[in-house]
Structure formats: structure tokens, C-alpha cells
Amino acid sequence: MTIPVDKLSDPAVRSLLSALNAGNRDAFFAALTENATMSDDGSERDLAQWVDREIFTSHGHIDVQTEKAAGRALVANYRNDTWGEMRTAWRFTVDGTRVSRIETGQA
């Protein structure tokens, strides 16, 4: 069963993933802190480069399956034009009202 993005518990994560699914790069970056960081499968990545490659130029979309840790730990089916669909785990660190860190990888 999929959890609609607009029903996620954490408002910062909800804003970030709503922007992701809408393909709205400006709103996505507005939902992040200025110095936000990320890792993919345990390796640190350049956030802007990763987001452009894995989300916006490849039409990324996330379908959340489960949420834990007050909406900051998710398991989701993520798909894009490059890799197809895969089961992924996502962890978010929130600073105030914006996301300061994204950790993702295969679930």
C-alpha cells in the first residue's frame, strides 16, 4: 500500500518529496537547508549533481510504502528513466522546517 506524499508525517519531508514528484527543482531546493548534504548507498554525493541526474533530468518519482521515525525514515519504490524502479530506503535529517541531510540507498 502506498502512502500519499501529502499524508507523510513530517512537514519538511512532505514538502521535499512533493516537489520531487512534481518535478519542481526550485521547490525541492527551497525545502533544503543552504548546506544540505546527502549520501547514496553509503557514499557521499554532491547533492545538486545527484538531484539533477537522479531526479530532474531522469523524471524521478517516489511512491512511499512505509514511514517510521515520525516520517523521517521511509521505504519507497523509486523510479526514474535511467534505472527503472527499485525499492529504496530514505532517511532525512530535519533542521527547523527544512531538510538538512538525505541518506538513500537500496532497501
Side-chain angles (χ1 to χ4, degrees), residues 5 9-10 31-32 40 46 52 57-58 63 67-68 74 76 92 95 97:
V5 170
S9 299
D10 187 279
L32 294 170
D40 181 6
D46 178 287
D52 284 338
T57 63
S58 61
D63 291 316
E67 70 169 353
K68 294 181 180 174
L74 310 176
F92 301 92
D95 183 3
T97 60

Side-chain angles (χ1 to χ4, degrees), residues 26-48:
D26 291 339
F28 185 90
F29 279 96
L32 294 170
T33 61
E34 185 177 330
N35 297 313
T37 61
M38 77 157 303
S39 69
D40 181 6
D41 282 328
S43 297
E44 291 298 310
R45 303 287 186 205
D46 178 287
L47 179 64

Side-chain angles (χ1 to χ4, degrees), residues 28-100:
F28 185 90
F29 279 96
L32 294 170
T33 61
E34 185 177 330
N35 297 313
T37 61
M38 77 157 303
S39 69
D40 181 6
D41 282 328
S43 297
E44 291 298 310
R45 303 287 186 205
D46 178 287
L47 179 64
Q49 289 178 2
W50 189 93
V51 164
D52 284 338
R53 182 180 65 250
E54 300 292 337
I55 297 174
F56 296 110
T57 63
S58 61
H59 307 102
H61 188 87
I62 192 166
D63 291 316
V64 177
Q65 305 301 306
T66 64
E67 70 169 353
K68 294 181 180 174
R72 295 181 183 180
L74 310 176
V75 172
N77 292 332
Y78 184 77
R79 68 180 178 274
N80 66 26
D81 293 347
T82 303
W83 306 108
E85 186 168 308
M86 65 190 85
R87 190 165 175 82
T88 55
W90 299 76
R91 290 195 164 278
F92 301 92
T93 303
V94 175
D95 183 3
T97 60
R98 299 191 295 168
V99 173
S100 61

